[in-house]
């Protein structure tokens, strides 16, 4: 439609994987190198794992792999892994041309035929590789069957190499206890991240050049807008850029500008937050990077994780790592001694300390004996459960009120940098666990049994209000900045750690927030990762108590076994909350069951004057 208008010979942003348009960023080249090493002579057998978000280019890398494997390598490519273990065996044999006509329904006979074939290829000096795309869809039983195939070996060499390509859920799947044997056999892992800003610009220019463009038809603001709206995901870049070119053609414009990009993104991503065109200064502040829970300043992270058990990580991190706006570059902190003391030694100053308690007094969860039960999640007091004295955090200065607090007009870069350091200590304080800031951070980086659980969610302000808990927003300003969200009131957003949080106009925050936020809560290291039908333990009793407070409430038994009746109720609850309705209580379902019963900390939802 727009090809002649822009002087193009073909569509530059088709979502079909055309080899002529392949653009390999540094990350893509490194991922390909991992795969080539794994399937080549350097590989020692076993598994190679490549993961990445939807649309980041895993299939493209797979095609590049197939084009570059040595001539002595035989490939079996499995594109539909949603099959039974026996069907998976048959598919692998079909891809390799193994005759299983006499095997019937016997898995053993299929494996025997495959083993005979592999020995023949080994004797001929050939390697056999099975590549499974969308491997996150493999059932645990199919994964176990795949693992058993790698037992086919000679005295010195594995006969079969496995390559697993999948979305991030594959990593979570392989963390299951019953799949630990497979996880230990993965010899090479690589996680493919989206393109960064410079790579996004180069990607767009590359595809336009291949399509015959003689000049840039996207101005700088448009390129930045595409990066912002796509997050650097190649598939989204293609969709948005193609629609923006169509819009420019419809308006008879020779060049795409930012407003056209935002209009295109709003059309092709109707469920996403609408973003209007901002000033060039605002765009300069925005840089969408990889969605990473552990996206803290490297220097701070290294310093933080080096603390021993007897040190105050919060106080030292603030004192030594946060350069202030007036003294930037001097190595001194802009956080005054009073604020630092409030965060590191809470309770020294009067204020409005929160009352702890993960479940309201109307439940009987507090009666669970956590010394014998496997959980310490739901209780009246986090301090009582942990056996520690939970200090009180001055949520705000005693003189601070909604009425006399001014609304800031912009989120300054130096303020965001300071808040980035304070977010996790402050969140630990809000949960009355002032000494556990390091545990919160570790949990959000994926560490197990830290005493906290952590999730990264995506939604809008309405969803955050429904959750009702303080969360850490991921703001895109000169890299990811993690800032504590304390309240929402009309068109105003309350942000900031310490005793004097600041109100901001919501549209100013919207310029930097793309819907990602982090929520963390205290949780016993013994809390099961999943609770499902057939389970009968103290954790199930706690889940029943939480469900009784949900809407609509669970009206069945208050304790006993997780049965089919409760599973059906849970699926309906999950569906109502916009969750995966699988009838299993995992971390996300647990969060939405738990949130209504938490009395403190809560998100501030009071009305401000003039809101």
């Amino acid at each position: 439609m727009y090809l002649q208008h822009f002087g193009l010979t073909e569509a530059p942003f088709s979502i079909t994987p055309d080899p002529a348009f392949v653009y390999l960023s540094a990350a893509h080249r490194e991922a390909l190198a991992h795969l080539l090493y794994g399937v080549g002579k350097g590989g020692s057998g076993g598994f190679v794992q490549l993961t990445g978000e939807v649309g980041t280019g895993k299939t493209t890398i797979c095609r590049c792999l197939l084009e570059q494997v040595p001539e002595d390598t035989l490939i079996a490519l499995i594109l539909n892994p949603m099959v039974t273990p026996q069907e998976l065996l048959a598919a692998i044999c079909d891809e390799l041309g193994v005759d299983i006509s006499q095997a019937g329904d016997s898995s053993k006979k299929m494996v025997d035929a495959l083993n005979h074939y592999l020995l023949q290829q080994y004797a001929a000096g050939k390697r056999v590789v099975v590549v499974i795309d969308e491997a996150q869809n493999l059932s645990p039983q199919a994964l176990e069957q795949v693992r058993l195939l790698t037992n086919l070996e000679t005295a010195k060499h594995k006969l079969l190499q496995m390559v697993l390509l999948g979305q991030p859920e594959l990593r979570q799947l392989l963390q299951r206890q019953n799949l630990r044997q497979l996880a230990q056999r993965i010899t090479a892992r690589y996680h493919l991240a989206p393109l960064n800003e410079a790579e996004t610009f180069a990607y767009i220019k590359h595809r336009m050049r291949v399509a015959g463009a003689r000049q840039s038809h996207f101005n700088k603001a448009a390129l930045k807008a595409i990066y912002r709206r796509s997050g650097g995901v190649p598939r989204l870049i293609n969709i948005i850029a193609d629609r923006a070119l169509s819009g420019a053609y419809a308006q008879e414009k020779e060049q795409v500008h930012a407003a056209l990009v935002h209009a295109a993104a709003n059309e092709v991503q109707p469920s996403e937050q609408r973003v209007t065109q901002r000033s060039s200064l605002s765009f300069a502040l925005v840089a969408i990077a990889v969605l990473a829970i552990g996206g803290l300043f490297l220097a701070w992270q290294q310093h933080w994780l080096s603390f021993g058990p007897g040190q105050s990580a919060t106080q030292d991190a603030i004192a030594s790592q946060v350069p202030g706006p007036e003294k930037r570059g001097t190595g001194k902190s802009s956080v005054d001694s009073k604020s630092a003391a409030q965060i590191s030694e809470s309770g020294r100053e009067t204020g409005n300390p929160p009352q702890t308690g993960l479940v309201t007094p109307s439940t009987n969860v507090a009666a669970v004996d956590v010394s014998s039960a496997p959980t310490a999640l739901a209780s009246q007091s986090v301090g009582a459960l942990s056996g520690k004295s939970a200090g009180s955090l001055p949520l705000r200065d005693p003189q601070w009120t909604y009425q006399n607090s001014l609304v800031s007009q912009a989120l300054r870069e130096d303020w965001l940098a300071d808040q980035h350091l304070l977010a996790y200590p402050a969140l630990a304080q809000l949960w009355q666990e002032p000494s556990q800031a390091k545990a919160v951070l570790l949990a959000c980086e994926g560490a197990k049994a830290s005493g906290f659980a952590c999730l990264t969610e995506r939604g809008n302000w309405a969803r955050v209000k429904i959750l009702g808990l303080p969360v850490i927003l991921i703001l895109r300003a000169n890299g990811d900045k993690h800032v504590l969200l304390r309240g929402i009131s009309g068109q105003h957003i309350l942000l900031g750690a310490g005793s004097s949080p600041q109100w901001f106009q919501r549209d100013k925050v919207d310029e930097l927030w793309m819907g990602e936020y982090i929520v963390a809560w205290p949780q016993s290291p013994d809390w099961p990762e999943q609770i499902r039908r057939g389970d009968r333990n103290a954790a199930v009793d706690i889940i029943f108590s939480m469900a009784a407070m949900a809407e609509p409430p669970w009206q069945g038994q208050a304790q006993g076994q997780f049965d089919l009746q409760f599973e059906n109720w849970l699926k309906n609850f999950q569906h109502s909350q916009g969750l995966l309705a699988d009838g299993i209580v995992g971390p996300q379902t647990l969060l939405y069951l738990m949130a209504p019963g938490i009395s403190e900390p809560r998100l501030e939802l009071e009305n401000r004057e003039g809101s």
Side-chain angles (χ1 to χ4, degrees):
M1 178 174 63
Y2 53 70
L3 298 185
Q4 186 175 1
H5 179 75
F6 292 109
L8 304 175
T9 57
E10 55 185 316
F13 297 108
S14 171
I15 61 174
T16 56
D18 186 340
F21 285 91
V22 169
Y23 171 83
L24 295 180
S25 68
H28 286 81
R29 290 193 297 271
E30 187 174 353
L32 180 58
H34 272 73
L35 296 184
L36 287 171
Y37 176 83
V39 304
K41 297 294 185 182
S44 58
F47 291 85
V48 177
Q49 173 187 311
L50 172 65
T51 55
E53 276 294 347
V54 175
T56 48
K58 299 184 296 298
T59 301
T60 298
I61 291 178
C62 181
R63 289 178 176 270
C64 291
L65 170 68
L66 297 179
E67 292 175 358
Q68 298 184 38
V69 292
E71 292 183 359
D72 61 355
T73 302
L74 303 173
I75 300 288
L77 178 60
I78 306 299
L79 298 176
N80 178 21
M82 297 186 69
V83 292
T84 66
Q86 189 178 57
E87 290 171 336
L88 182 62
L89 265 178
I92 293 173
C93 291
D94 287 343
E95 281 287 312
L96 294 172
V98 178
D99 183 10
I100 56 172
S101 58
Q102 304 302 316
D105 294 332
S106 172
S107 296
K108 179 183 182 302
K109 290 182 179 180
M110 290 185 195
V111 173
D112 289 344
L114 178 60
N115 188 42
H116 180 69
Y117 171 85
L118 294 175
L119 287 171
Q120 286 181 325
Q121 301 309 318
Y122 176 74
K126 296 183 177 181
R127 295 174 60 82
V128 181
V129 179
V130 175
V131 179
I132 302 179
D133 200 6
E134 302 294 348
Q136 77 279 352
N137 292 322
L138 284 168
S139 67
Q141 295 78 14
L143 278 169
E144 179 62 12
Q145 178 64 75
V146 166
R147 181 189 72 81
L148 292 174
L149 289 180
T150 61
N151 287 337
L152 302 178
E153 57 191 359
T154 66
K156 292 186 177 181
H157 297 93
K158 295 283 187 183
L159 296 177
L160 194 62
Q161 175 79 57
M162 292 284 182
V163 177
L164 302 179
L165 309 177
Q167 296 169 19
E169 291 83 356
L170 176 62
R171 294 190 297 178
Q172 300 172 9
L173 180 62
L174 294 179
Q175 290 175 2
R176 293 186 181 185
Q177 182 72 6
N178 61 334
L179 293 176
R180 64 189 183 281
Q181 288 181 300
L182 188 154
Q184 291 173 0
R185 297 191 184 194
I186 297 176
T187 57
R189 292 179 173 87
Y190 194 86
H191 184 72
L192 187 62
L195 304 177
N196 61 31
E197 186 177 61
E199 290 168 341
T200 299
F201 297 175
Y203 175 85
I204 294 171
K205 292 175 181 177
H206 167 77
R207 295 189 72 103
M208 289 291 290
R209 185 166 55 250
V210 172
R214 297 183 178 180
Q215 63 176 347
S216 175
H217 291 285
F218 293 87
N219 64 25
K220 189 172 183 179
L223 292 173
K224 286 180 174 290
I226 292 175
Y227 174 61
R228 181 183 181 189
R229 296 304 299 269
S230 68
V233 175
R235 185 178 298 157
L236 294 180
I237 294 172
N238 287 355
I239 294 172
I240 294 172
D242 180 76
R243 189 67 192 86
L245 284 173
S246 297
Y249 166 75
Q251 297 181 18
E252 299 183 348
K253 296 182 181 296
E254 291 293 330
Q255 197 170 54
V256 176
H257 51 74
L260 283 169
V261 171
H262 288 301
N266 288 339
E267 282 189 32
V268 300
Q269 297 173 294
S271 62
E272 298 293 324
Q273 172 187 321
R274 294 291 193 258
V275 179
T276 56
Q277 187 181 20
R278 305 295 182 190
S279 67
S280 59
L281 176 62
S282 297
F283 277 117
L285 294 174
V286 179
I288 296 181
V290 180
L291 179 59
I293 299 176
L296 305 178
F297 289 144
L298 180 60
W300 171 61
Q301 187 178 29
Q302 292 173 341
H303 178 80
W304 184 284
L305 296 179
S306 67
F307 282 107
Q311 294 173 283
S312 171
T314 306
Q315 188 175 17
D316 289 350
I318 294 170
S320 64
Q321 298 293 332
V322 187
E326 288 79 29
K327 302 178 181 180
R328 186 75 55 188
T330 65
K332 298 181 181 180
S333 172
S334 67
V335 181
D336 56 52
S337 58
K338 172 180 167 182
S339 298
Q342 286 170 335
I343 296 176
S344 62
E345 300 180 42
S346 62
R348 294 288 184 86
E349 194 168 303
T350 60
N352 296 321
Q355 302 299 314
T356 59
L358 294 180
V359 177
T360 60
S362 62
T363 72
N364 62 2
V365 176
V368 175
D369 179 5
V370 297
S371 63
S372 59
T375 69
L377 172 70
S379 168
Q380 290 288 57
S381 170
V382 176
L385 286 172
S386 63
K388 303 173 184 176
S389 174
S392 58
L393 171 73
L395 288 179
R396 60 178 73 93
D397 187 277
Q399 302 303 315
W400 186 95
T401 65
Y402 283 86
Q403 283 69 36
N404 65 20
S405 61
L406 299 177
V407 176
S408 297
Q409 295 303 309
L411 289 89
R412 298 195 325 273
E413 210 169 321
D414 52 8
W415 184 85
L416 288 171
D418 291 347
Q419 291 299 320
H420 185 72
L421 299 177
L422 302 175
Y424 289 88
L427 188 59
Q429 291 278 1
L430 290 177
W431 283 108
Q432 297 291 347
E433 294 282 355
S435 64
Q436 296 302 308
K438 178 179 176 180
V440 178
L441 174 62
L442 290 175
C444 292
E445 289 184 329
K448 302 293 184 182
S450 69
F452 271 80
C454 185
L455 282 176
T456 298
E457 294 282 88
R458 185 178 181 88
N460 52 24
W461 296 117
R463 191 158 181 84
V464 174
K465 287 174 70 175
I466 290 172
L467 189 61
L469 301 178
V471 301
I472 293 176
L473 300 182
I474 301 177
L475 303 182
R476 315 299 192 182
N478 193 22
D480 285 355
K481 295 296 186 296
H482 293 198
V483 179
L484 185 65
L485 171 68
R486 302 281 287 276
I488 303 174
S489 181
Q491 295 302 309
H492 300 105
I493 304 298
L494 183 63
L495 299 178
S499 60
S500 299
Q502 293 188 34
W503 285 103
F504 295 91
Q505 292 284 357
R506 194 162 94 174
D507 60 351
K508 297 297 182 184
V509 181
D510 283 341
E511 292 179 7
L512 306 181
W513 188 58
M514 298 301 289
E516 295 94 359
Y517 56 94
I518 296 169
V519 55
W521 65 92
Q523 180 171 297
S524 165
D526 294 329
W527 183 265
E529 185 173 340
Q530 291 186 335
I531 304 172
R532 62 178 67 221
R533 179 151 52 106
D535 289 348
R536 182 196 296 270
N537 51 41
V540 173
D541 295 341
I542 292 175
I543 293 299
F544 283 153
S545 298
M546 292 178 179
M549 301 173 60
E551 185 59 43
W554 163 247
Q555 297 179 335
Q557 58 187 357
Q559 58 184 0
Q561 188 174 11
F562 189 138
D563 57 13
L564 179 60
Q565 184 182 7
F566 183 72
E567 181 182 71
N568 290 333
W569 176 90
L570 184 62
K571 288 180 178 179
N572 290 332
F573 172 80
Q574 290 170 323
H575 181 74
S576 70
Q577 298 296 316
L579 309 175
L580 175 64
D582 59 1
I584 299 172
V585 180
Q588 193 178 43
T589 297
L590 175 64
L591 173 63
Y592 282 85
L593 279 172
M594 174 182 65
I598 297 176
S599 57
E600 290 290 347
R602 299 300 298 178
L603 198 65
E604 304 278 2
L605 299 174
E606 304 171 42
N607 289 321
R608 297 185 68 254
E609 189 175 276
S611 290

